[in-house]
């Protein structure tokens, strides 16, 4: 597999410069966490990496064919069971050993056939994560995937991701330094939105998006 290269990516929405000349290289199989305050462009970055949003300038090179995305929202079909949600994306059925293994690792082995509508918020979150893992992506994008899970389940869920990701590349947005530390790998700190909003027009640019910890 090739490196995934983000090359001088810029994106603005109206007057708001969200990303400016961001460059980042992810090695195959690496884990990278992205942190930064709300509104600083983390989701926009993942959307650009996934190819769902076009940058104004710059490019993404080496994007693999299979991209798994745990969106910030669950984006599950509420009337379907967990298994049916996963079948929609992966073709796997409830009898699939990988699906069963992932659900077991998430503590959801008895809920595979439960309609998502009847699940708690934390269970839905884990189904969304299971769906992305079952897809067996080459690149896994996690947008605050562990948010809202209580401490013990969060740890169990991170263990599941680390176990079942195989050797795929992981790019994980989180607000929790402890999560980034637990996942390991590199840590990217995105610019402070407060600086940008308070500063006079354009005066605080660029906001360097430095890697603060090498993998
Ligand atoms: N489709 C869009 N149209 C207009 N503004 C947007 C759009 N998507 C995001 N934004 C704005 O861009 C900024 C960054 O958003 P986002 O990437 O979601 O930030 P984060 O995930 O870091 O909280 C925010 O100010 C947000 O309101
Ligand atoms: Mg976001």
């Amino acid at each position: 597999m090739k490196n995934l290269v983000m090359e001088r990516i810029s994106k603005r929405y109206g007057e708001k410069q969200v990303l400016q000349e961001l460059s980042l290289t992810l090695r195959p199989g690496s884990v990278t966490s992205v942190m930064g305050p709300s509104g600083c462009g983390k989701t926009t970055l993942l959307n650009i990496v996934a190819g769902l949003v076009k940058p104004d300038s710059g490019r993404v090179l080496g994007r693999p064919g299979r991209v798994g995305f745990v969106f910030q929202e669950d984006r599950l079909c509420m009337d379907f069971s967990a298994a049916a949600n996963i079948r929609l994306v992966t073709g796997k059925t409830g009898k699939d050993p990988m699906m069963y293994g992932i659900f077991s690792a998430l503590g959801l082995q008895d809920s595979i056939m439960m309609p998502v509508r009847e699940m708690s918020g934390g269970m839905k979150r884990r189904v969304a994560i299971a769906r992305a893992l079952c897809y067996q992506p080459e690149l896994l994008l996690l947008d605050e995937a562990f948010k809202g899970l209580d401490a013990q389940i969060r740890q169990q869920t991170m263990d599941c991701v680390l176990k079942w990701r195989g050797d795929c590349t992981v790019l994980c947005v989180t607000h929790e330094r402890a999560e980034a530390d637990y996942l390991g790998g590199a840590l990217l700190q995105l610019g402070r939105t407060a600086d940008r909003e308070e500063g006079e027009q354009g005066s605080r640019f660029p906001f360097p998006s430095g890697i603060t910890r090498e993998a």
Side-chain angles (χ1 to χ4, degrees), residues 114-127:
M114 183 190 277
V116 168
R117 187 179 295 289
E118 294 171 18
M119 293 183 166
S120 68
M123 291 169 83
K124 288 178 189 144
R125 206 84 275 270
R126 282 176 282 163
V127 172

PDB file of all heavy atoms in Angstrom, residues 114-127:
ATOM      1  N   MET A 114     -31.043  -6.967  17.341  1.00  0.00           N
ATOM      2  CA  MET A 114     -31.922  -5.953  17.939  1.00  0.00           C
ATOM      3  C   MET A 114     -32.087  -4.758  16.986  1.00  0.00           C
ATOM      4  O   MET A 114     -31.106  -4.298  16.392  1.00  0.00           O
ATOM      5  CB  MET A 114     -31.292  -5.459  19.254  1.00  0.00           C
ATOM      6  CG  MET A 114     -32.144  -4.455  20.003  1.00  0.00           C
ATOM      7  SD  MET A 114     -31.263  -3.679  21.376  1.00  0.00           S
ATOM      8  CE  MET A 114     -31.481  -4.889  22.638  1.00  0.00           C
ATOM      9  N   PRO A 115     -33.316  -4.269  16.826  1.00  0.00           N
ATOM     10  CA  PRO A 115     -33.479  -3.062  16.005  1.00  0.00           C
ATOM     11  C   PRO A 115     -32.693  -1.903  16.619  1.00  0.00           C
ATOM     12  O   PRO A 115     -32.719  -1.700  17.837  1.00  0.00           O
ATOM     13  CB  PRO A 115     -34.983  -2.779  16.066  1.00  0.00           C
ATOM     14  CG  PRO A 115     -35.610  -4.055  16.517  1.00  0.00           C
ATOM     15  CD  PRO A 115     -34.587  -4.771  17.346  1.00  0.00           C
ATOM     16  N   VAL A 116     -32.017  -1.174  15.780  1.00  0.00           N
ATOM     17  CA  VAL A 116     -31.168  -0.084  16.266  1.00  0.00           C
ATOM     18  C   VAL A 116     -31.990   0.937  17.055  1.00  0.00           C
ATOM     19  O   VAL A 116     -31.513   1.510  18.039  1.00  0.00           O
ATOM     20  CB  VAL A 116     -30.432   0.557  15.067  1.00  0.00           C
ATOM     21  CG1 VAL A 116     -29.778   1.865  15.463  1.00  0.00           C
ATOM     22  CG2 VAL A 116     -29.396  -0.416  14.520  1.00  0.00           C
ATOM     23  N   ARG A 117     -33.234   1.135  16.631  1.00  0.00           N
ATOM     24  CA  ARG A 117     -34.101   2.102  17.313  1.00  0.00           C
ATOM     25  C   ARG A 117     -34.225   1.832  18.812  1.00  0.00           C
ATOM     26  O   ARG A 117     -34.385   2.750  19.606  1.00  0.00           O
ATOM     27  CB  ARG A 117     -35.499   2.026  16.668  1.00  0.00           C
ATOM     28  CG  ARG A 117     -36.484   3.063  17.135  1.00  0.00           C
ATOM     29  CD  ARG A 117     -37.806   2.905  16.411  1.00  0.00           C
ATOM     30  NE  ARG A 117     -37.725   3.153  14.974  1.00  0.00           N
ATOM     31  CZ  ARG A 117     -37.535   4.351  14.431  1.00  0.00           C
ATOM     32  NH1 ARG A 117     -37.399   5.398  15.195  1.00  0.00           N
ATOM     33  NH2 ARG A 117     -37.477   4.496  13.121  1.00  0.00           N
ATOM     34  N   GLU A 118     -34.121   0.543  19.186  1.00  0.00           N
ATOM     35  CA  GLU A 118     -34.289   0.176  20.596  1.00  0.00           C
ATOM     36  C   GLU A 118     -32.991   0.253  21.388  1.00  0.00           C
ATOM     37  O   GLU A 118     -32.970  -0.016  22.582  1.00  0.00           O
ATOM     38  CB  GLU A 118     -34.863  -1.256  20.696  1.00  0.00           C
ATOM     39  CG  GLU A 118     -36.279  -1.342  20.155  1.00  0.00           C
ATOM     40  CD  GLU A 118     -36.764  -2.786  20.043  1.00  0.00           C
ATOM     41  OE1 GLU A 118     -36.166  -3.677  20.675  1.00  0.00           O
ATOM     42  OE2 GLU A 118     -37.739  -2.996  19.296  1.00  0.00           O
ATOM     43  N   MET A 119     -31.925   0.599  20.727  1.00  0.00           N
ATOM     44  CA  MET A 119     -30.624   0.608  21.406  1.00  0.00           C
ATOM     45  C   MET A 119     -30.367   1.932  22.106  1.00  0.00           C
ATOM     46  O   MET A 119     -30.884   2.976  21.710  1.00  0.00           O
ATOM     47  CB  MET A 119     -29.500   0.370  20.382  1.00  0.00           C
ATOM     48  CG  MET A 119     -29.529  -1.006  19.792  1.00  0.00           C
ATOM     49  SD  MET A 119     -28.141  -1.238  18.667  1.00  0.00           S
ATOM     50  CE  MET A 119     -28.193  -3.018  18.495  1.00  0.00           C
ATOM     51  N   SER A 120     -29.510   1.876  23.139  1.00  0.00           N
ATOM     52  CA  SER A 120     -29.057   3.096  23.798  1.00  0.00           C
ATOM     53  C   SER A 120     -28.089   3.832  22.861  1.00  0.00           C
ATOM     54  O   SER A 120     -27.604   3.260  21.869  1.00  0.00           O
ATOM     55  CB  SER A 120     -28.325   2.744  25.097  1.00  0.00           C
ATOM     56  OG  SER A 120     -27.107   2.093  24.782  1.00  0.00           O
ATOM     57  N   GLY A 121     -27.806   5.077  23.201  1.00  0.00           N
ATOM     58  CA  GLY A 121     -26.871   5.865  22.387  1.00  0.00           C
ATOM     59  C   GLY A 121     -25.510   5.190  22.265  1.00  0.00           C
ATOM     60  O   GLY A 121     -24.918   5.142  21.188  1.00  0.00           O
ATOM     61  N   GLY A 122     -25.040   4.639  23.382  1.00  0.00           N
ATOM     62  CA  GLY A 122     -23.729   3.998  23.369  1.00  0.00           C
ATOM     63  C   GLY A 122     -23.712   2.734  22.520  1.00  0.00           C
ATOM     64  O   GLY A 122     -22.705   2.416  21.873  1.00  0.00           O
ATOM     65  N   MET A 123     -24.825   2.025  22.513  1.00  0.00           N
ATOM     66  CA  MET A 123     -24.901   0.818  21.667  1.00  0.00           C
ATOM     67  C   MET A 123     -24.901   1.212  20.195  1.00  0.00           C
ATOM     68  O   MET A 123     -24.212   0.593  19.374  1.00  0.00           O
ATOM     69  CB  MET A 123     -26.167   0.014  22.000  1.00  0.00           C
ATOM     70  CG  MET A 123     -26.120  -0.644  23.375  1.00  0.00           C
ATOM     71  SD  MET A 123     -27.738  -1.297  23.850  1.00  0.00           S
ATOM     72  CE  MET A 123     -27.735  -2.875  23.016  1.00  0.00           C
ATOM     73  N   LYS A 124     -25.640   2.254  19.845  1.00  0.00           N
ATOM     74  CA  LYS A 124     -25.668   2.708  18.442  1.00  0.00           C
ATOM     75  C   LYS A 124     -24.266   3.104  17.986  1.00  0.00           C
ATOM     76  O   LYS A 124     -23.841   2.784  16.867  1.00  0.00           O
ATOM     77  CB  LYS A 124     -26.605   3.913  18.298  1.00  0.00           C
ATOM     78  CG  LYS A 124     -28.066   3.564  18.426  1.00  0.00           C
ATOM     79  CD  LYS A 124     -28.921   4.829  18.327  1.00  0.00           C
ATOM     80  CE  LYS A 124     -30.366   4.515  18.665  1.00  0.00           C
ATOM     81  NZ  LYS A 124     -31.045   5.584  19.376  1.00  0.00           N
ATOM     82  N   ARG A 125     -23.563   3.820  18.849  1.00  0.00           N
ATOM     83  CA  ARG A 125     -22.205   4.236  18.531  1.00  0.00           C
ATOM     84  C   ARG A 125     -21.342   3.019  18.190  1.00  0.00           C
ATOM     85  O   ARG A 125     -20.594   2.984  17.223  1.00  0.00           O
ATOM     86  CB  ARG A 125     -21.641   4.949  19.767  1.00  0.00           C
ATOM     87  CG  ARG A 125     -20.552   5.963  19.541  1.00  0.00           C
ATOM     88  CD  ARG A 125     -21.130   7.300  19.173  1.00  0.00           C
ATOM     89  NE  ARG A 125     -21.406   7.407  17.751  1.00  0.00           N
ATOM     90  CZ  ARG A 125     -20.537   7.844  16.856  1.00  0.00           C
ATOM     91  NH1 ARG A 125     -19.315   8.163  17.206  1.00  0.00           N
ATOM     92  NH2 ARG A 125     -20.883   7.961  15.588  1.00  0.00           N
ATOM     93  N   ARG A 126     -21.479   1.986  19.015  1.00  0.00           N
ATOM     94  CA  ARG A 126     -20.661   0.798  18.797  1.00  0.00           C
ATOM     95  C   ARG A 126     -21.075   0.050  17.534  1.00  0.00           C
ATOM     96  O   ARG A 126     -20.238  -0.542  16.859  1.00  0.00           O
ATOM     97  CB  ARG A 126     -20.730  -0.108  20.047  1.00  0.00           C
ATOM     98  CG  ARG A 126     -19.835   0.429  21.176  1.00  0.00           C
ATOM     99  CD  ARG A 126     -19.977  -0.395  22.425  1.00  0.00           C
ATOM    100  NE  ARG A 126     -21.202  -0.077  23.144  1.00  0.00           N
ATOM    101  CZ  ARG A 126     -21.755  -0.842  24.078  1.00  0.00           C
ATOM    102  NH1 ARG A 126     -21.191  -1.986  24.395  1.00  0.00           N
ATOM    103  NH2 ARG A 126     -22.855  -0.471  24.691  1.00  0.00           N
ATOM    104  N   VAL A 127     -22.360   0.097  17.198  1.00  0.00           N
ATOM    105  CA  VAL A 127     -22.789  -0.535  15.939  1.00  0.00           C
ATOM    106  C   VAL A 127     -22.169   0.223  14.756  1.00  0.00           C
ATOM    107  O   VAL A 127     -21.718  -0.394  13.778  1.00  0.00           O
ATOM    108  CB  VAL A 127     -24.328  -0.569  15.828  1.00  0.00           C
ATOM    109  CG1 VAL A 127     -24.755  -1.046  14.438  1.00  0.00           C
ATOM    110  CG2 VAL A 127     -24.914  -1.485  16.900  1.00  0.00           C
TER     111      VAL A 127
END
